[in-house]
Amino acid sequence: MSLTPTQTQDQKEAFIQRGRSTASAGSGRNLLEVSALKMHFPLTQGIIFQRQVGAVRAVDGIDFFVEKGETLGLVGESGCGKSTTGRAILQLYKPTGGSVKFEGTELTTLGGEQMRKMRRKMQMIFQDPYASLNPRMTVGNIIGEPLEVHHLAAGKAKTERVQELLRIVGLNPYFTNRYPHEFSGGQRQRIGVARALAVEPDFIVADEPISALDVSIQAQVINLLEELQEKFNLTYLFIAHDLSVVRHISDRVAVMYLGKIVELADRIDLYERPLHPYTQALLSAVPIPDPAVEQKRKRIILTGDVPSPVNPPTGCRFHTRCWKAQQICSEVDPEFIEHAPRHWAACHFPGA
Amino acid sequence: MSATATPLIAMAPARRASAGLWSNALYRLRRDRLTLAAATTLTVLVVLSILAPLLAEHVFDRSFEQQDLLKTYHPPTLDPPAYLLGGDELGRSQVVRLLYGGQVSLFVGFVAAFMNLTIGIGLGLISGYFRGPVDDVITWFITTLNSIPIIFLLIIITTLFAPGALTLTIIIGLLFWTGITNFVRGQTFALREREFILAARTIGAASWRIMFRHVLPNILPLIFVLLAIDIGTIILAESALSYLGLGIVPPTPSWGNMLSNASTYFSRAWWLVVSPGATIFLTVLCLYLIGDGLRDALDPRLKGAS
Ligand SMILES: Nc1ncnc2c1ncn2[C@@H]1O[C@H](COP(=O)(O)OP(=O)(O)OP(=O)(O)O)[C@@H](O)[C@H]1O
Ligand code: SF4
Ligand SMILES: [Mg+2]
């Protein structure tokens, strides 16, 4: 069953009553379950005695799950906390609160050594292919390091595996003695992909893997990622700041605004029946290939700046820019509710 | 385009079989004439100092203590060769003293700098990488150490221990690492946030591995420059300390105490100032050039002369 925005309020209410499941609720197929995840960066003052004077609430309580084999797109404007979400999930930052469960194992309480072993199963592809490769290591050492760290291969076997990985990502296997600076952006990103694949992970956070690349090679890298997903049965959390990239590659999409997920739905549902005004605004900016529809497309221009994550607005965080905002919006923070099956949104007035 | 069908980027013509940072660095160093010249000069100075006793006996036929009151303030001469660089206020052979002085000064400089470097890198990496309470303790210790006037500390220590070369080395080695620590700490702090360090953590690299395989190689080239400066500073500091009577005490010669001693007689025998002064200058210059050359050689982004 799916609800369209044209259905009556009653029907929606009825559905909400029945299906008030949380967005992170476990079904057996979930690889990753995130609930109430918070990542606050303290702001301190003082040189010797540092006093905390506030916090950047980069991620401020988010719930979602990722199913085995799917691609979950995570979309939002720059600075809304997408990278922080990815890094907090992989425990590169120690989350301020909440839980991250991977294959049922709680990661936030895992000891250093156990987490280090867990890292075999989850990897990351970074946004900046220039900054994410050590400039003083050869490509062979960069891709070989995960093999060494997890004792997966040594000596000749390691060299062969590195060459195989280079071949898998479409690079010349004899490049092992070269340094990152000798490669183009797209090739560097492939090196980053090979490094992530070295440990044969199940889950990969791809943090805007193509936004730093030339438009001409973006599609190649996307295609590579899709092929690898099929070949190695990978699950992706795919981060992007623009809904058009995500549309192509995602099974489901989560929309983030100022540290919170405001809407989460299956791809088609989200693109055809967006419930949250912010999603609607983002979608209105995506060009539609059909000229007839494109002509009728009404752009929703958001006014005002994104508020600071140090001091987010009360109630609904979007109320300072929302054209549908009412009194209640600035007072009560809307719950993240399943308004239709597998379609969550946090808004007092969801729908068209 | 499918990934497997992506044409392999044409193989580059087989270049030198290179691996690793060090063999590449060596390759580049061999083409850097200035650095090579500096390294050769420094090596000659070191070897001459080591051979001081042999040279004194067989070439100059003088010990460093042997006085000759007829040759006080003797100007440089080729005959006898012992007065090649002149004679000092007691008529001792300046050239022999300079050779022996090199043993002391270079030993103090290299060994103490090496101690500084070891402590500095270790604490700097730990402090910058782990931050938090560990960093607070180390920073506090550095601040405290820096707030004690070193001269005051040295006066106390030298009254407690006989101020020989070894004492001086240990004192300098244990006291002058704070600058290096601060530098390494700051660099580590900044590097830690770089994505390739995050990437290393993502693949499961342990902290020691990240510190020594990722952070250190990226600051090592600058550390060589720092090391060169440190050795130079120590050799100069030793001469300042000698001036205050806190360094190497005569009759044992060091470049430092020869310089400070001779400066008192500057108007009578200027050449006695020139030889230790020029030697210290030459040593420090060579060290700087080598440090600079190593920095460039270790940067894979700078192509060699090829
Ligand atoms: N280590 C940190 N310390 C303090 N604040 C941080 C840190 N990392 C991120 N932030 C802040 O947290 C907020 C979210 O940052 P994040 O990098 O997650 O955004 P993003 O959605 O990935 O943006 P972009 O699209 O530009 O990559 C920003 O306001 C940023 O300034
Ligand atoms: S809750 Fe109110 S302010 Fe927030 S998105 Fe919905 S309508 Fe807009
Ligand atoms: Mg980001």
Side-chain angles (χ1 to χ4, degrees), chain B residues 243 258-267 272-273:
Chain B
Y243 202 77
M258 286 175 73
L259 184 66
S260 55
N261 197 34
S263 58
T264 354
Y265 312 111
F266 183 70
S267 53
L272 294 180
V273 174

Side-chain angles (χ1 to χ4, degrees), chain A residues 116 136 145 148 150 177-178, chain B residues 3 12 18 203-204 209 214 298:
Chain A
R116 221 172 57 72
R136 295 187 191 269
E145 189 170 29
E148 259 175 60
H150 296 283
N177 280 337
R178 298 211 174 173
Chain B
S18 66
I203 58 155
R209 188 187 188 97
H214 294 271
L298 280 167

